[in-house]
Amino acid sequence: MSKTMLELNSVCKAFGGVNAVKDMSFKIERGELAALIGPNGAGKTTIFNLITGVYNVTEGDIKFKDTAVNKLKTYKITSLGVARTFQNLRLFPASTVLDNVMTAAQQHLPYSFWEAISHLGRWKNMEEQTREISLSLLKRVGLEARAEQLAGTLPYGLQRRLEIARALALKPELLLLDEPAAGMNADEVLQLNGLIKQIHKDFNLTILLIEHHMDVVMSICPHIICMNFGSKIAEGSPLEIQNHPDVLAAYLGEED
Protein backbone atom coordinates (compact mmCIF):
# COMPACT_ATOMS: atom_id res chain seq x y z
CA MET A 1 0.00 0.00 0.00
CA SER A 2 1.39 3.37 -1.05
CA LYS A 3 2.15 5.87 1.70
CA THR A 4 1.12 8.74 -0.58
CA MET A 5 -2.59 9.52 -0.46
CA LEU A 6 -2.62 12.57 -2.76
CA GLU A 7 -0.02 13.84 -5.20
CA LEU A 8 -0.05 16.87 -7.49
CA ASN A 9 2.68 17.03 -10.16
CA SER A 10 3.22 20.33 -12.03
CA VAL A 11 -0.51 21.06 -12.05
CA CYS A 12 -1.68 24.11 -14.00
CA LYS A 13 -5.14 25.53 -14.54
CA ALA A 14 -5.85 28.36 -16.95
CA PHE A 15 -9.13 30.20 -17.40
CA GLY A 16 -8.77 31.87 -20.77
CA GLY A 17 -5.50 33.74 -20.55
CA VAL A 18 -5.40 33.77 -16.74
CA ASN A 19 -3.36 31.14 -14.90
CA ALA A 20 -5.23 30.41 -11.69
CA VAL A 21 -2.83 27.59 -10.74
CA LYS A 22 0.76 27.40 -11.98
CA ASP A 23 3.15 24.45 -11.67
CA MET A 24 1.67 23.25 -8.37
CA SER A 25 3.30 20.17 -6.85
CA PHE A 26 2.94 18.60 -3.41
CA LYS A 27 2.28 15.28 -1.68
CA ILE A 28 -0.03 14.42 1.20
CA GLU A 29 0.92 11.18 2.93
CA ARG A 30 -1.61 8.69 4.24
CA GLY A 31 -2.87 9.73 7.69
CA GLU A 32 -1.65 13.32 7.50
CA LEU A 33 -3.53 16.38 8.74
CA ALA A 34 -2.30 19.12 6.42
CA ALA A 35 -3.28 22.67 5.48
CA LEU A 36 -3.29 24.71 2.29
CA ILE A 37 -3.04 28.42 3.07
CA GLY A 38 -2.58 31.70 1.22
CA PRO A 39 -4.17 35.10 0.63
CA ASN A 40 -7.62 35.50 -0.90
CA GLY A 41 -7.47 34.67 -4.61
CA ALA A 42 -4.30 32.60 -4.26
CA GLY A 43 -5.95 29.59 -5.95
CA LYS A 44 -6.64 27.36 -2.95
CA THR A 45 -10.26 26.47 -3.75
CA THR A 46 -9.28 25.99 -7.40
CA ILE A 47 -6.88 23.29 -6.19
CA PHE A 48 -9.77 21.55 -4.40
CA ASN A 49 -11.92 21.85 -7.51
CA LEU A 50 -9.17 20.25 -9.59
CA ILE A 51 -8.70 17.40 -7.11
CA THR A 52 -12.43 16.64 -7.08
CA GLY A 53 -13.02 16.93 -10.83
CA VAL A 54 -15.06 20.14 -10.77
CA TYR A 55 -12.45 21.62 -13.12
CA ASN A 56 -10.26 19.83 -15.64
CA VAL A 57 -6.49 20.18 -15.28
CA THR A 58 -4.87 22.25 -18.05
CA GLU A 59 -1.46 20.64 -17.51
CA GLY A 60 0.05 18.20 -15.02
CA ASP A 61 -1.25 15.21 -13.11
CA ILE A 62 -3.23 14.53 -9.93
CA LYS A 63 -3.06 11.11 -8.30
CA PHE A 64 -5.16 9.70 -5.49
CA LYS A 65 -3.64 6.50 -4.06
CA ASP A 66 -1.57 6.11 -7.27
CA THR A 67 -4.68 6.43 -9.47
CA ALA A 68 -4.71 9.34 -11.92
CA VAL A 69 -7.89 11.31 -11.24
CA ASN A 70 -7.40 14.50 -13.25
CA LYS A 71 -9.57 13.17 -16.10
CA LEU A 72 -12.27 11.56 -13.95
CA LYS A 73 -15.75 12.89 -13.23
CA THR A 74 -16.56 14.13 -9.73
CA TYR A 75 -18.84 11.19 -8.85
CA LYS A 76 -16.09 8.74 -9.78
CA ILE A 77 -13.50 10.52 -7.64
CA THR A 78 -15.98 10.52 -4.74
CA SER A 79 -16.52 6.78 -5.16
CA LEU A 80 -12.75 6.24 -4.90
CA GLY A 81 -12.76 7.76 -1.42
CA VAL A 82 -12.54 11.56 -1.64
CA ALA A 83 -15.06 13.84 0.10
CA ARG A 84 -15.13 17.60 0.62
CA THR A 85 -16.90 20.51 2.21
CA PHE A 86 -17.30 23.86 0.46
CA GLN A 87 -16.27 27.44 1.12
CA ASN A 88 -19.89 28.41 0.50
CA LEU A 89 -22.32 26.07 2.23
CA ARG A 90 -23.94 23.50 -0.07
CA LEU A 91 -26.55 22.06 2.27
CA PHE A 92 -30.18 21.30 1.44
CA PRO A 93 -31.66 24.06 3.62
CA ALA A 94 -35.30 22.95 3.31
CA SER A 95 -34.47 19.35 4.36
CA THR A 96 -33.84 18.17 7.89
CA VAL A 97 -30.40 17.86 9.37
CA LEU A 98 -30.81 14.08 9.36
CA ASP A 99 -31.96 13.95 5.74
CA ASN A 100 -28.92 15.95 4.66
CA VAL A 101 -26.64 13.27 6.08
CA MET A 102 -28.78 10.33 4.91
CA THR A 103 -28.66 11.66 1.35
CA ALA A 104 -24.89 11.24 1.35
CA ALA A 105 -24.92 7.92 3.22
CA GLN A 106 -27.26 6.36 0.67
CA GLN A 107 -24.50 6.35 -1.92
CA HIS A 108 -23.21 3.10 -0.41
CA LEU A 109 -26.54 1.26 -0.35
CA PRO A 110 -26.74 -1.79 -2.65
CA TYR A 111 -30.50 -1.87 -3.24
CA SER A 112 -31.80 -1.45 -6.78
CA PHE A 113 -33.53 1.52 -8.38
CA TRP A 114 -36.81 -0.42 -8.34
CA GLU A 115 -36.47 -1.17 -4.62
CA ALA A 116 -35.75 2.52 -3.99
CA ILE A 117 -38.91 3.78 -5.71
CA SER A 118 -41.18 0.95 -4.54
CA HIS A 119 -39.83 0.72 -0.95
CA LEU A 120 -39.83 -3.07 -1.29
CA GLY A 121 -37.14 -5.74 -0.96
CA ARG A 122 -34.01 -4.59 0.86
CA TRP A 123 -35.06 -0.94 1.03
CA LYS A 124 -36.61 -0.93 4.53
CA ASN A 125 -33.66 -2.60 6.28
CA MET A 126 -31.12 -0.54 4.39
CA GLU A 127 -32.97 2.69 5.10
CA GLU A 128 -33.00 1.93 8.82
CA GLN A 129 -29.27 1.17 8.77
CA THR A 130 -28.64 4.45 6.98
CA ARG A 131 -30.69 6.32 9.58
CA GLU A 132 -28.68 4.78 12.43
CA ILE A 133 -25.35 5.54 10.75
CA SER A 134 -26.43 9.12 10.03
CA LEU A 135 -27.59 9.70 13.60
CA SER A 136 -24.27 8.38 14.91
CA LEU A 137 -22.41 10.86 12.67
CA LEU A 138 -24.62 13.70 13.88
CA LYS A 139 -23.80 12.68 17.44
CA ARG A 140 -20.08 12.85 16.63
CA VAL A 141 -20.41 16.48 15.49
CA GLY A 142 -22.77 17.50 18.29
CA LEU A 143 -25.97 17.71 16.23
CA GLU A 144 -27.92 14.61 17.27
CA ALA A 145 -30.48 16.69 19.20
CA ARG A 146 -31.14 18.78 16.08
CA ALA A 147 -31.70 15.85 13.71
CA GLU A 148 -35.28 16.87 12.80
CA GLN A 149 -34.53 20.58 12.52
CA LEU A 150 -34.40 22.12 9.04
CA ALA A 151 -30.76 22.53 8.02
CA GLY A 152 -31.30 26.11 6.89
CA THR A 153 -32.39 27.18 10.38
CA LEU A 154 -29.19 26.06 12.08
CA PRO A 155 -26.73 28.72 13.27
CA TYR A 156 -23.92 29.18 10.78
CA GLY A 157 -21.30 27.37 12.86
CA LEU A 158 -23.55 24.34 13.22
CA GLN A 159 -24.20 24.29 9.49
CA ARG A 160 -20.44 23.94 9.06
CA ARG A 161 -20.52 20.94 11.38
CA LEU A 162 -23.38 19.45 9.40
CA GLU A 163 -21.33 19.71 6.22
CA ILE A 164 -18.55 17.75 7.90
CA ALA A 165 -21.01 15.05 9.03
CA ARG A 166 -22.39 14.77 5.51
CA ALA A 167 -18.88 14.44 4.08
CA LEU A 168 -18.08 11.70 6.61
CA ALA A 169 -21.21 9.82 5.49
CA LEU A 170 -19.46 9.26 2.14
CA LYS A 171 -16.89 7.10 4.01
CA PRO A 172 -13.87 8.95 2.61
CA GLU A 173 -10.20 8.16 3.01
CA LEU A 174 -9.28 11.72 2.03
CA LEU A 175 -11.34 14.59 3.46
CA LEU A 176 -10.97 18.07 1.97
CA LEU A 177 -12.24 20.87 4.23
CA ASP A 178 -12.63 24.26 2.56
CA GLU A 179 -12.49 26.97 5.25
CA PRO A 180 -14.36 24.99 7.92
CA ALA A 181 -13.95 27.79 10.48
CA ALA A 182 -15.36 30.54 8.24
CA GLY A 183 -17.88 32.70 10.06
CA MET A 184 -17.20 31.17 13.48
CA ASN A 185 -16.44 33.05 16.68
CA ALA A 186 -13.39 32.30 18.83
CA ASP A 187 -15.13 29.70 20.99
CA GLU A 188 -16.56 27.91 17.95
CA VAL A 189 -13.12 27.85 16.30
CA LEU A 190 -11.62 26.28 19.42
CA GLN A 191 -14.33 23.61 19.46
CA LEU A 192 -13.81 22.99 15.76
CA ASN A 193 -10.10 22.37 16.37
CA GLY A 194 -11.00 19.58 18.75
CA LEU A 195 -13.58 18.14 16.35
CA ILE A 196 -11.18 18.02 13.40
CA LYS A 197 -8.45 16.38 15.46
CA GLN A 198 -10.92 13.84 16.85
CA ILE A 199 -12.41 12.79 13.51
CA HIS A 200 -8.90 12.64 12.01
CA LYS A 201 -7.97 10.13 14.67
CA ASP A 202 -11.22 8.17 15.04
CA PHE A 203 -11.98 7.77 11.33
CA ASN A 204 -8.36 7.12 10.33
CA LEU A 205 -8.63 9.94 7.81
CA THR A 206 -6.19 11.89 5.73
CA ILE A 207 -7.29 15.54 5.89
CA LEU A 208 -6.29 18.55 3.82
CA LEU A 209 -7.90 21.83 4.85
CA ILE A 210 -8.00 25.35 3.52
CA GLU A 211 -8.15 27.88 6.30
CA HIS A 212 -7.58 31.59 6.99
CA HIS A 213 -7.68 31.20 10.78
CA MET A 214 -3.99 30.78 11.54
CA ASP A 215 -4.76 29.62 15.08
CA VAL A 216 -6.54 26.62 13.54
CA VAL A 217 -3.75 25.83 11.09
CA MET A 218 -0.81 26.30 13.42
CA SER A 219 -2.34 24.34 16.28
CA ILE A 220 -3.51 21.21 14.45
CA CYS A 221 -1.60 20.90 11.14
CA PRO A 222 2.02 19.62 11.23
CA HIS A 223 2.27 19.99 7.42
CA ILE A 224 1.43 23.31 5.77
CA ILE A 225 1.56 24.36 2.11
CA CYS A 226 1.40 28.08 1.34
CA MET A 227 0.55 29.47 -2.09
CA ASN A 228 0.19 32.88 -3.68
CA PHE A 229 -0.89 33.92 -7.18
CA GLY A 230 -1.54 30.27 -8.04
CA SER A 231 1.94 28.98 -7.13
CA LYS A 232 3.46 27.30 -4.11
CA ILE A 233 5.76 29.67 -2.23
CA ALA A 234 6.54 27.58 0.87
CA GLU A 235 5.96 24.19 2.44
CA GLY A 236 6.90 22.83 5.84
CA SER A 237 6.10 22.77 9.54
CA PRO A 238 4.19 25.56 11.33
CA LEU A 239 7.47 27.01 12.62
CA GLU A 240 9.02 26.96 9.16
CA ILE A 241 5.96 28.61 7.61
CA GLN A 242 5.72 31.28 10.32
CA ASN A 243 9.32 32.30 9.67
CA HIS A 244 9.42 32.00 5.89
CA PRO A 245 10.10 35.44 4.33
CA ASP A 246 7.89 34.80 1.28
CA VAL A 247 4.98 33.82 3.52
CA LEU A 248 5.45 36.90 5.66
CA ALA A 249 5.51 39.09 2.58
CA ALA A 250 2.62 37.47 0.72
CA TYR A 251 0.30 36.19 3.41
CA LEU A 252 0.95 38.40 6.40
CA GLY A 253 1.85 41.54 4.49
CA GLU A 254 5.33 41.89 5.95
CA GLU A 255 8.70 42.12 4.28
CA ASP A 256 10.97 41.30 7.23
Side-chain angles (χ1 to χ4, degrees):
M1 182 183 296
S2 174
K3 289 179 61 179
T4 302
M5 180 67 73
L6 176 69
E7 182 175 2
L8 276 67
N9 291 310
S10 301
V11 170
C12 301
K13 177 60 183 178
F15 296 97
V18 178
N19 291 314
V21 175
K22 297 176 289 185
D23 196 28
M24 192 67 172
S25 299
F26 63 83
K27 291 182 180 180
I28 304 297
E29 302 298 333
R30 188 178 296 273
E32 274 200 280
L33 175 49
L36 181 62
I37 67 170
N40 287 329
K44 304 181 297 298
T45 296
T46 300
I47 292 290
F48 273 22
N49 287 335
L50 293 170
I51 294 169
T52 56
V54 176
Y55 298 151
N56 293 321
V57 171
T58 304
E59 294 180 25
D61 296 294
I62 301 175
K63 292 183 178 180
F64 172 66
K65 297 193 301 182
D66 294 329
T67 298
V69 298
N70 44 287
K71 294 183 180 180
L72 298 181
K73 299 294 185 182
T74 298
Y75 75 89
K76 182 62 177 177
I77 296 171
T78 300
S79 71
L80 291 175
V82 180
R84 69 174 293 185
T85 64
F86 291 85
Q87 184 178 6
N88 299 313
L89 290 166
R90 302 289 180 89
L91 300 173
F92 304 117
S95 297
T96 67
V97 168
L98 178 59
D99 284 343
N100 267 265
V101 180
M102 288 184 67
T103 299
Q106 286 167 341
Q107 173 179 289
H108 301 285
L109 299 182
Y111 55 67
S112 67
F113 175 74
W114 171 250
E115 288 171 318
I117 63 173
S118 66
H119 292 184
L120 298 174
R122 296 170 292 179
W123 179 85
K124 185 175 181 179
N125 287 338
M126 292 292 181
E127 192 75 0
E128 186 56 38
Q129 290 177 29
T130 303
R131 180 182 176 85
E132 291 175 3
I133 291 169
S134 299
L135 284 171
S136 71
L137 291 173
L138 289 175
K139 184 176 182 180
R140 296 300 297 272
V141 301
L143 291 176
E144 185 181 29
R146 296 177 180 260
E148 300 304 325
Q149 184 172 336
L150 295 182
T153 66
L154 288 175
Y156 190 80
L158 296 186
Q159 290 189 40
R160 287 285 179 188
R161 286 175 171 259
L162 176 55
E163 268 213 321
I164 293 174
R166 190 173 63 177
L168 291 174
L170 294 172
K171 299 181 180 179
E173 293 181 65
L174 173 64
L175 178 60
L176 306 174
L177 301 176
D178 195 346
E179 296 195 34
M184 293 185 177
N185 61 40
D187 288 339
E188 289 173 329
V189 169
L190 184 62
Q191 293 172 13
L192 179 71
N193 280 0
L195 174 62
I196 293 174
K197 288 191 291 185
Q198 197 63 47
I199 63 174
H200 173 248
K201 175 183 177 182
D202 293 348
F203 289 85
N204 194 29
L205 286 171
T206 304
I207 297 178
L208 176 62
L209 64 89
I210 293 171
E211 191 50 71
H212 285 292
H213 285 76
M214 287 300 97
D215 48 351
V216 173
V217 172
M218 298 300 170
S219 64
I220 69 175
C221 296
H223 178 192
I224 302 171
I225 303 147
C226 185
M227 62 186 299
N228 195 26
F229 297 113
S231 300
K232 182 173 71 174
I233 59 173
E235 183 173 5
S237 68
L239 184 60
E240 290 170 326
I241 294 298
Q242 285 174 324
N243 292 286
H244 197 289
D246 291 340
V247 176
L248 296 176
Y251 193 78
L252 303 176
E254 298 178 18
E255 295 183 359
D256 298 313

